[in-house]
Amino acid sequence: MRRGISKPLLLLISLGLLAGGVSIAWRKVIRDQVIPKNFGVVEAGKLYRAGGLTESTMRDVVAEHKIRTIVDLGAFDHEPQREAGMQKLADELNVNRHVFRLKGDATGNPNDYVAALRYMTDPANQPVLVMCSAGAQRTGAAVILYRCLTENRTIQQAYPDSFNYRHDPGKDWVMLAYLADWNDDIQQAYHSGGWIDSQPPTTELYQQPGALTVPARPQP
């Protein structure tokens, strides 16, 4: 005669399913509402980094770190409702928000990084929060460029810090190759006050409601 599942075993299975459901709910829904996604301190009082934040965690980060400026490297590119919501929230919090449309692998127009660095390093804008969707690739590249610029590091010296923020060098080698190709040009354009001439700034992408445009090209 075939026996059914015993009550203790059934209880254990039920508890396991419940625990699994809670775990999934925590990872998929709850965690990002209470813990800022991939958040880190680059330079206390000056620059912070994160992935795409929710409204609640953005409020917390802005309040705790007195954020004055958000440099968004494409956190909500494929989520127009969240994009609009984040801009509305930035306006409500009286935080300047500047959006740059870089690709998820951290490539794109290098002048986007030139402009982003100008916002990130300007004391009038600080404290600054730089962010993208995951907070790993585009944000990681911007932080590496920032450290090279402000701390006189090489890419090789600044790169390992990105491992702490979900950058996987075994899979995401594209970012490092991009930085190797463009770092010198980006640094030179930043210091000259101009742009990388071979890559005209795509200013139309930055002119969004509530956001400032790219810093103007200096007059001769």
Side-chain angles (χ1 to χ4, degrees):
M1 181 176 179
R2 192 173 184 179
R3 299 180 61 185
I5 300 175
S6 66
K7 288 184 178 180
L9 180 56
L10 183 60
L11 178 60
L12 287 173
I13 293 173
S14 299
L15 290 174
L17 291 172
L18 178 61
V22 170
S23 176
I24 292 172
W26 168 255
R27 288 185 288 106
K28 297 290 188 180
V29 181
I30 302 172
R31 179 175 60 186
D32 286 347
Q33 297 296 328
V34 296
I35 299 176
K37 184 178 180 180
N38 212 7
F39 180 80
V41 179
V42 179
E43 190 172 357
K46 294 184 177 182
L47 184 63
Y48 302 85
R49 61 180 292 164
L53 301 180
T54 61
E55 178 177 336
S56 59
T57 53
M58 178 63 80
R59 289 182 183 276
D60 291 343
V61 168
V62 168
E64 181 176 353
H65 300 285
K66 299 179 174 57
I67 300 298
R68 299 176 66 183
T69 305
I70 296 170
V71 172
D72 186 332
L73 304 178
F76 309 108
D77 279 353
H78 305 294
E79 300 176 278
Q81 289 186 330
R82 289 190 68 189
E83 171 75 37
M86 191 55 63
Q87 185 58 57
K88 182 179 179 180
L89 178 61
D91 293 341
E92 176 190 331
L93 298 175
N94 197 30
V95 173
N96 290 321
R97 178 170 177 262
H98 310 283
V99 180
F100 301 89
R101 305 298 185 187
L102 289 159
K103 298 178 182 178
D105 60 4
T107 64
N109 190 327
N111 279 307
D112 289 11
Y113 285 112
V114 176
L117 285 169
R118 287 178 179 147
Y119 288 124
M120 292 160 64
T121 57
D122 187 346
N125 293 321
Q126 296 170 342
V128 175
L129 173 68
V130 59
M131 61 187 290
C132 62
S133 181
Q137 303 304 105
R138 290 165 284 190
T139 298
V143 170
I144 290 170
L145 291 166
Y146 175 88
R147 292 198 185 282
C148 290
L149 184 68
T150 63
E151 301 172 7
N152 200 30
R153 296 194 194 186
T154 64
I155 292 176
Q156 290 76 14
Q157 291 169 335
Y159 180 61
D161 181 59
S162 64
F163 305 160
N164 298 321
Y165 296 94
R166 304 178 190 171
H167 171 72
D168 183 348
K171 296 179 180 179
D172 303 321
W173 57 268
V174 174
M175 181 181 84
L176 184 58
Y178 178 89
L179 290 174
D181 286 341
W182 287 107
N183 180 53
D184 289 347
D185 292 317
I186 290 170
Q187 304 288 342
Q188 183 177 354
Y190 174 91
H191 286 297
S192 72
W195 304 103
I196 300 170
D197 290 336
S198 63
Q199 302 287 322
T202 50
T203 54
E204 71 278 6
L205 296 178
Y206 313 146
Q207 296 172 349
Q208 301 190 8
L212 299 180
T213 59
V214 169
R217 184 189 294 270
Q219 296 299 315

